[in-house]
Amino acid sequence: MQLEQIIKRPLILTEKGSLLREEENQYLFEVDRGANKIQIRDAVERLFNVKVKSVNTLLMRGKMRRMGRGLAKTRNWKKAFVTLVEGDNIDFFEGA
């Protein structure tokens, strides 16, 4: 798997993500469901040039949503909590 396939997107618009980023130096990412913690660690270190302290993952189950008159289930996805060492950070809004 390539690095861009492992890390799909950062989860930066959540209130929990903002608190973890400020207080615990943790960042949230949506990752590929087949990726393990070692692959996620390597991808974050190479893409953002930081040192990763730990990686915690969990599977998020899809929810039932209304689609027109019927119901449909959204897809399952994997979330990764990446803790960086002291002094390192990831700036998502560099160009803004």
Side-chain angles (χ1 to χ4, degrees):
M1 238 186 291
Q2 293 180 352
L3 301 178
E4 293 80 16
Q5 292 174 332
I6 295 173
I7 305 292
K8 292 188 176 180
R9 66 186 176 107
L11 302 174
I12 54 176
L13 299 177
T14 62
E15 188 173 344
K16 181 177 183 176
S18 299
L19 287 174
L20 287 174
R21 189 169 46 252
E22 294 170 1
E23 296 174 1
E24 312 261 335
N25 204 21
Q26 285 187 348
Y27 293 84
L28 305 178
F29 295 97
E30 179 183 347
V31 296
D32 186 72
R33 286 188 57 201
N36 60 29
K37 292 180 181 184
I38 297 168
Q39 292 172 332
I40 295 168
R41 173 192 298 261
D42 291 340
V44 170
E45 285 180 349
R46 289 184 187 169
L47 285 174
F48 300 109
N49 295 323
V50 293
K51 187 71 177 162
V52 174
K53 184 177 179 182
S54 67
V55 176
N56 296 326
T57 60
L58 58 105
L59 287 173
M60 301 293 293
R61 297 184 70 186
K63 299 178 181 179
M64 295 300 290
R65 298 285 187 196
R66 288 261 329 239
M67 303 284 182
R69 287 189 281 175
L71 293 174
K73 182 179 173 289
T74 59
R75 64 183 176 83
N76 297 333
W77 56 286
K78 192 173 198 176
K79 183 191 289 190
F81 292 79
V82 178
T83 306
L84 302 181
V85 297
E86 287 287 327
D88 280 354
N89 65 347
I90 300 173
D91 190 12
F92 292 113
F93 301 110
E94 291 175 5

